[in-house]
Amino acid sequence: MRKMLFIYNPNAGTGLIKSKLSDIVDTFAKGGYEITIYPTQKYQDAMEKTMEYQEQYDLVVCSGGDGTLDEVVTGMLSRKDQIPVGYIPAGTTNDFANSLQIPKDMLEAANIIVNGKPFACDVGGFNDDHFVYIAAFGIFTDVSYETKQSMKNILGYLAYLLEGAKRIFNIPSYRIRVTYDDKVIEDEFIYGMVTNSRSVGGFSGIIGPDVVFDDGEFEVTLIRTPKNAIELNELLGAIVMRQINPERMYSFKSGNVRFESEVEIPWTLDGEFGGEHSDVLIRNQKQALQIMVKNENEVEPAKIEAKGGNAEAARS
């Protein structure tokens, strides 16, 4: 009989997994697995459990939000004996699961884990840390980890909007030198993100077309600091329309990006606080993560419909 380690966050999202746990475990058992179950007790508990287990498991499954997945993946990448990861999304946004077409229905996701197949997708190296699908800095990036879980559970997306609204009149701006593929950008930015996802913050199509999960490259989006109300309106209009405005933004693909600044900048990794840094090197670890997906869905390099045409609008 195959063996599974099942790690779940009982407080993720609305805590729905508590009522589904028996049926999920039953699905795993019917799929031929002997299951060890572990509910997380604290911050980074999922990472520590994944790093430190000694048993010979065939699969590690996690359930929670993007932060729980991030912890399990970080733990797995630190091991010599890496095995596939299954994911049952239970958070507020679940961007990565949406991108890989892992359903929100927990029992459907559990069925995919036992009957699907592993897909090798890229993950990110962030200095000495890792991220699954997004590393970001600037306006609103602290909303996800500063919004209280109880508020997320009750209000959902509205919790993020309310928390973000508090910051709209206090926008930080950072002067950053960005180096990638022998190119250099030096400018003032209010926001930047390095992503491997078709949605961010629950909004799909915001990255641009041709998002591929196993090509060794990230999508990089940098938003310049608006100097007046007109530039701010142009920027907001582009964001609402999901367009790349080359006068207000930089957009490019790269497997390695370096960010250098005179001051330390707070970063978020998969919605969790990633520390403050003045020098960040992000490296694409091509096809480093084996994650379970549908048998009939190999997570092809699908082209998402995007308004605004070509996203290759990097300024020189």
Side-chain angles (χ1 to χ4, degrees):
M1 180 174 285
R2 294 174 293 177
K3 293 188 175 182
M4 172 194 297
L5 173 60
F6 178 33
I7 301 171
Y8 73 96
N9 181 352
N11 299 313
T14 59
L16 179 62
I17 192 170
K18 295 175 183 178
S19 63
K20 301 287 186 179
L21 187 58
S22 178
D23 290 333
I24 290 172
V25 173
D26 185 61
T27 299
F28 292 156
K30 285 183 169 61
Y33 283 95
E34 179 182 318
I35 310 114
T36 300
I37 305 173
Y38 182 79
T40 58
Q41 304 296 306
K42 59 184 180 179
Y43 175 62
Q44 294 193 335
D45 203 13
M47 181 182 68
E48 293 174 6
K49 187 66 175 179
T50 305
M51 290 175 61
E52 296 171 0
Y53 72 77
Q54 300 296 320
E55 296 83 353
Q56 295 297 315
Y57 292 113
D58 299 283
L59 185 64
V60 172
V61 176
C62 66
S63 181
D66 293 329
T68 303
L69 176 64
D70 177 276
E71 289 189 23
V72 169
V73 170
T74 298
M76 184 60 67
L77 292 178
S78 71
R79 299 182 62 92
K80 292 182 180 179
D81 55 335
Q82 297 181 18
I83 59 176
V85 171
Y87 182 40
I88 299 177
T92 307
T93 55
N94 304 309
D95 286 311
F96 191 64
N98 292 337
S99 295
L100 293 183
Q101 300 175 31
I102 298 174
K104 294 180 180 180
D105 184 282
M106 291 184 169
L107 295 184
E108 289 183 17
N111 186 64
I112 287 174
I113 289 168
V114 296
N115 295 310
K117 60 182 177 182
F119 167 71
C121 68
D122 302 343
V123 293
F126 180 94
N127 289 347
D128 296 327
D129 206 341
H130 294 92
F131 64 94
V132 178
Y133 76 97
I134 182 171
F137 69 87
I139 185 172
F140 300 152
T141 53
D142 61 343
V143 169
S144 61
Y145 58 80
E146 286 198 358
T147 304
K148 293 181 179 179
Q149 185 62 52
S150 59
M151 188 176 180
K152 293 181 189 178
N153 292 346
I154 296 171
L155 300 176
Y157 285 120
L158 183 58
Y160 290 105
L161 296 177
L162 291 174
E163 192 69 21
K166 300 176 184 177
R167 295 162 168 76
I168 194 64
F169 297 109
N170 186 26
I171 301 176
S173 179
Y174 306 103
R175 181 138 196 107
I176 304 175
R177 177 184 174 92
V178 183
T179 307
Y180 71 100
D181 302 340
D182 297 323
K183 298 181 177 66
V184 177
I185 299 170
E186 192 163 356
D187 210 330
E188 294 275 345
F189 300 105
I190 61 170
Y191 180 80
M193 62 182 176
V194 180
T195 61
N196 192 35
S197 176
R198 291 176 186 154
S199 68
V200 173
F203 297 97
S204 61
I206 197 170
I207 305 300
D210 304 325
V211 177
V212 183
F213 301 106
D214 60 351
D215 63 351
E217 290 191 315
F218 290 125
E219 285 68 42
V220 183
T221 306
L222 306 171
I223 298 179
R224 301 174 64 211
T225 304
K227 296 180 174 61
N228 51 55
I230 295 176
E231 291 187 1
L232 178 59
N233 287 335
E234 290 177 356
L235 174 60
L236 293 176
I239 293 172
V240 169
M241 297 299 295
R242 300 176 186 176
Q243 295 175 331
I244 298 298
N245 182 332
E247 295 299 320
R248 307 274 76 85
M249 306 176 187
Y250 299 87
S251 179
F252 57 88
K253 293 175 179 282
S254 181
N256 291 274
V257 188
R258 186 175 185 180
F259 297 83
E260 299 171 275
S261 57
E262 293 183 357
V263 299
E264 291 190 335
I265 299 173
W267 283 76
T268 178
L269 306 178
D270 297 327
E272 301 294 329
F273 182 55
E276 297 185 357
H277 308 270
S278 59
D279 193 343
V280 168
L281 177 61
I282 293 178
R283 309 166 311 284
N284 185 292
Q285 298 178 345
K286 187 175 181 181
Q287 301 177 11
L289 172 65
Q290 296 278 335
I291 188 164
M292 301 302 295
V293 298
K294 293 180 183 178
N295 255 320
E296 67 273 18
N297 171 29
E298 298 188 21
V299 195
E300 299 175 353
K303 296 182 179 180
I304 57 175
E305 182 179 352
K307 301 176 181 179
N310 188 3
E312 292 291 334
R315 296 166 57 91
S316 58

